[in-house]
């Protein structure tokens, strides 16, 4: 299929692009490089050994989106472009509503005008808030505590309304749990700007000496070792779920949600222990206070994705840590620095 990938230079977008190209699909990327690098796309081209189109444009630019939709005539869209820092969203809510919600509406208008009605959306398990029960299935009530989460909820609502208004739309809402890890080559991976908010990029920066120690945000939760428990999912598994979902939009109809996780939780200390084992690095740790807004535990019931999409996660925490370390050791300064060849 011809698939338009917004935010294709980002962490999950770039890994998905590799898997789409490997599966024989024809891709066109739209990105502003607001929080990503052209180098990621150059490396995807090398890894896939295939080319794809690219337009540097903002999803809020309706004319640019209309042009891309007209010229490339996508059969389906994988929509990753957006802002994603929870803390930042609290201070800059309007930027989040403008880029995430406004940008998605502008993109959808262009697609509707050009007759493309297959859409795969990057949603998040954050739409479940502090869960009522575990594992979390797709019927779990949705709620949120911050503007970033609200943009995900609002976009899900917009897409649900669109599918009611026009049954020709076929939409997959992919609710990601905690994506970590990198491509097995170590050539693409997660490259956050500034001090990482999320656990795995922080751990890899401790491993490469960019940060001194990991602060564990609380060890007094009601979990087996007191630290937070999350459903970490390998980004390559997540990327393959997008291929399955994009293909499903050609068969499915309406707007359907899918949890993307492994179905298993691992604690912060378990992840750190697995990372030490995979990397041979020490990873000093200090326990600090809880982080505001954090929940104790979250893991997915991924049965629906298995049943409907025919997808399930195959890679475990050991592979997540080994690949995250592979990327960090080869690219200690991310895409900005020189690439080291450890071979
Ligand atoms: C966070 C976001 C969530 C977003 C997701 C993307 C918050 C509150 N939630 O989820 O909306 O969809 O990222 O992956 O930011 N931890 C430490 N030390 C650190 C960093 C994290 O102990 O330096 C702990 C956290 O307290 C948590 C676990 O590691 O228990 C995972 O944290 P993180 O990677 O930030 O993911 P979430 O909080 O689950």
């Amino acid at each position: 299929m011809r698939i338009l990938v917004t935010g294709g230079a980002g962490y999950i977008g770039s890994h998905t692009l590799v898997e789409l190209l490997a599966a024989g699909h024809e891709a066109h990327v739209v990105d502003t490089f607001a929080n990503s690098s052209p180098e990621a796309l150059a490396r995807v081209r090398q890894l896939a050994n295939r080319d794809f189109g690219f337009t540097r444009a903002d999803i809020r630019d309706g004319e640019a989106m209309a042009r891309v939709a007209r010229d490339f005539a996508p059969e389906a869209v994988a929509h990753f472009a957006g802002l994603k820092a929870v803390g930042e969203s609290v201070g800059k809510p309007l930027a989040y509503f403008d880029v995430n919600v406004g940008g998605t509406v502008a993109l959808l208008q262009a697609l509707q005008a050009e007759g493309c009605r297959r859409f795969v959306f990057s949603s998040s398990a954050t739409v479940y808030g502090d869960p009522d029960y575990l594992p979390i299935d797709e019927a779990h009530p949705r709620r949120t505590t911050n503007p970033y989460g609200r943009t995900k909820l609002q976009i899900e609502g917009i897409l649900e309304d669109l599918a009611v208004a026009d049954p020709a739309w076929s939409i997959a809402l992919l609710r990601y749990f905690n994506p970590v890890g990198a491509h097995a080559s170590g050539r693409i991976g997660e490259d956050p700007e500034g001090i990482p908010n999320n656990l795995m990029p922080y751990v890899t920066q401790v491993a490469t000496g960019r940060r001194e120690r990991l602060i564990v945000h609380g060890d007094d939760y009601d979990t087996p070792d007191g630290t937070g428990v999350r459903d970490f999912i390998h980004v390559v598994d997540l990327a393959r779920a997008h291929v399955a979902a994009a293909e499903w939009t050609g068969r499915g109809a309406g707007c359907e949600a899918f949890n993307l996780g492994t179905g298993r939780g691992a604690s912060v200390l378990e992840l750190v222990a697995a990372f030490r084992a995979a990397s041979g690095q020490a990873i000093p740790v200090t326990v600090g206070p809880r982080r505001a807004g954090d929940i104790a535990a979250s893991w997915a019931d991924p049965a629906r994705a298995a049943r409907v999409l025919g997808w399930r996660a195959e890679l475990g925490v050991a592979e997540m840590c080994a690949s995250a370390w592979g990327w960090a050791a080869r690219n200690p300064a991310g895409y900005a620095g020189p690439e080291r060849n450890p071979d």
Side-chain angles (χ1 to χ4, degrees), residues 1 32 36 43 45 75 90 115 144 153 167 183 190 193 223 252 264 305 331 338:
M1 79 186 118
T32 56
S36 62
R43 295 193 189 176
R45 280 197 182 89
E75 290 155 282
V90 175
T144 187
L153 271 183
H183 190 266
E190 187 169 15
E193 267 173 25
T223 60
R264 279 182 300 277
N331 302 276

Side-chain angles (χ1 to χ4, degrees), residues 86 124 126 178 197-199 215-217 230 268 291 294:
V86 174
S124 167
T126 198
N178 288 63
N197 298 309
N198 296 118
L199 178 61
I215 311 294
V216 173
H217 298 319
R230 295 292 184 275
V268 171
R291 182 171 70 178
D294 267 359

Side-chain angles (χ1 to χ4, degrees), residues 17-87:
L17 201 48
V18 169
E19 299 303 318
L20 285 166
L21 294 168
H25 298 300
E26 193 186 332
H28 189 97
V29 171
V30 163
D31 209 303
T32 56
F33 302 126
N35 188 23
S36 62
S37 162
E39 180 63 17
L41 295 181
R43 295 193 189 176
V44 168
R45 280 197 182 89
Q46 293 165 6
L47 286 174
N49 198 21
R50 279 193 57 201
D51 206 2
F52 51 85
F54 173 69
T55 302
R56 184 166 185 161
D58 192 306
I59 52 169
R60 290 169 295 180
D61 181 346
E63 276 175 29
M65 291 308 107
R67 250 191 324 274
V68 170
R70 216 167 30 241
D71 295 347
F72 180 60
E75 290 155 282
V77 177
H79 176 38
F80 298 97
L83 301 176
K84 61 166 190 177
V86 174

Side-chain angles (χ1 to χ4, degrees), residues 6 59 79-84 95-108 119-124 127 142 144 147-163 169 171-175 255-256:
T6 75
I59 52 169
H79 176 38
F80 298 97
L83 301 176
K84 61 166 190 177
Y96 275 69
F97 292 111
D98 181 27
V99 174
N100 291 9
V101 182
T104 302
V105 171
L107 173 65
L108 290 167
F119 199 78
V120 177
F121 175 58
S122 295
S123 190
S124 167
V127 301
R142 283 177 283 176
T144 187
Y148 160 76
R150 204 176 312 284
T151 67
K152 295 292 176 190
L153 271 183
Q154 290 185 349
I155 296 165
E156 286 200 356
I158 289 166
L159 292 168
E160 284 161 349
D161 288 344
L162 195 55
W169 280 94
I171 299 167
L173 309 176
L174 302 186
R175 296 180 182 150
C255 182
E256 301 283 344

Side-chain angles (χ1 to χ4, degrees), residues 225-282:
D225 66 16
T227 65
V229 169
R230 295 292 184 275
D231 188 337
F232 298 101
I233 171 170
H234 199 300
V235 69
V236 171
D237 271 329
L238 191 62
R240 291 178 181 151
H242 287 77
V243 179
E247 290 170 350
W248 170 83
T249 60
R251 310 186 294 275
C255 182
E256 301 283 344
F258 301 99
N259 285 343
L260 300 183
T262 64
R264 279 182 300 277
S267 75
V268 171
L269 291 181
E270 281 169 349
L271 191 85
V272 171
F275 191 90
R276 288 186 184 122
S279 65
Q281 305 297 305

